[in-house]
Amino acid sequence: MYFQFLVEDMSSEKLIRRVMDKIQKASSDVRYDCKSFKGIGGLKVNANAAQVKTDKLLNDLPQYLRGFDKSLRGIDAAIIIVLDNDKRETQEFERQLKNVADNAHIVIDHVFCIAVEEMEAWLLGDRKALFQAYPNARESALKDYVQDSICGTWEVLANALYKGGIKKFKKDCPTYREVGRYKSEWADKIGLYFHLEDNCSPSFQKFIGAIQERIA
């Protein structure tokens, strides 16, 4: 079974690779590749707009879906698109994404896996892994977090992991690149200790379920 992942940034790719390394240990015939973009971008309003790649996931999604739909036909494969809903309504966002695939006439198996609110919710869903990776994380900073809620999820994680909390983090890391570097580090280190079946994030369990269903 081959999986082609499309993810919105490097931190998501880091986590996907950690997860898939664990899955491959249990299922040696599973293969995968992961294409990360430089942000989520936005869905195109004009379907006839020039097909210029932007390296933003939503902007380029129809092109990549059509490309992989063509190149992966004839093999046991699936395209897994992983992205955050941010503050979007999840069901409506999923409907819009499915419309993109329908309009592109995608035949190959594909599934949209939406992290609610952000991929960092998946890291917060495995507290055991979080504290294994970061033994000095501040548990008090996590006590009010409601799993998969719209609350500024990555800021909750940063507040627990960064020395001095979220205010100092934003002062020390004012640019998107600096924030992204830390997000990638957190995803990689926590993902190393992930317990796939025990994660309490509903959106993560939908993601894992989609993969395991296809392996089975």
Side-chain angles (χ1 to χ4, degrees):
M1 180 71 195
Y2 178 82
F3 293 97
Q4 176 62 57
F5 292 94
L6 301 177
V7 301
E8 65 180 82
D9 56 23
M10 183 55 67
S11 61
S12 298
E13 178 176 347
K14 293 280 189 183
L15 183 59
I16 296 299
R17 291 192 180 278
R18 287 298 191 189
V19 168
M20 292 306 295
D21 286 349
K22 294 176 185 295
I23 288 175
Q24 283 185 318
K25 288 181 180 179
S27 303
S28 59
D29 60 339
V30 170
R31 297 177 298 115
Y32 77 95
D33 193 20
C34 191
K35 161 64 180 173
S36 62
F37 292 78
K38 295 180 180 178
I40 190 169
L43 293 169
K44 292 180 179 179
V45 176
N46 181 5
N48 296 318
Q51 297 297 299
V52 178
K53 290 184 178 179
T54 65
D55 213 16
K56 302 291 186 180
L57 175 53
L58 292 180
N59 299 66
D60 298 349
L61 184 58
Q63 298 176 72
Y64 277 92
L65 285 176
R66 283 192 290 265
F68 285 120
D69 183 62
K70 182 177 180 180
S71 65
L72 297 177
R73 285 191 190 182
I75 68 172
D76 188 15
I79 306 171
I80 310 289
I81 305 96
V82 181
L83 67 178
D84 301 343
N85 74 325
D86 297 316
K87 300 192 183 300
R88 301 175 183 87
E89 199 284 318
T90 305
Q91 291 184 340
E92 172 60 19
F93 187 36
E94 187 172 15
R95 185 192 65 79
Q96 294 172 355
L97 293 168
K98 288 180 177 178
N99 282 343
V100 171
D102 290 343
N103 291 336
H105 306 292
I106 304 305
V107 175
I108 194 170
D109 183 22
H110 60 279
V111 61
F112 295 97
C113 296
I114 300 173
V116 184
E117 162 192 27
E118 298 164 328
M119 184 275 295
E120 285 75 23
W122 295 0
L123 304 181
L124 290 166
D126 191 337
R127 297 293 176 86
K128 183 177 180 180
L130 190 156
F131 284 104
Q132 283 179 292
Y134 294 95
N136 296 323
R138 295 190 301 124
E139 191 168 4
S140 60
L142 304 174
K143 64 181 178 66
D144 294 328
Y145 173 67
V146 177
Q147 189 64 54
D148 283 27
S149 60
I150 309 299
C151 64
T153 307
W154 78 261
E155 290 94 335
V156 173
L157 185 63
N159 196 36
L161 299 186
Y162 194 76
K163 187 175 180 180
I166 185 61
K167 289 184 178 180
K168 191 169 190 307
F169 179 86
K170 288 186 174 181
K171 181 179 179 181
D172 293 345
C173 306
T175 68
Y176 178 81
R177 176 174 292 185
E178 291 169 311
V179 173
R181 180 169 61 85
Y182 274 97
K183 284 185 173 184
S184 294
E185 177 186 306
W186 299 333
D188 190 44
K189 289 188 175 181
I190 297 173
L192 176 64
Y193 297 100
F194 249 28
H195 311 85
L196 304 185
E197 305 298 333
D198 298 332
N199 195 299
C200 68
S201 165
S203 58
F204 179 79
Q205 287 304 325
K206 287 184 179 179
F207 164 69
I208 285 295
I211 294 173
Q212 291 176 335
E213 176 185 348
R214 286 159 174 80
I215 293 174

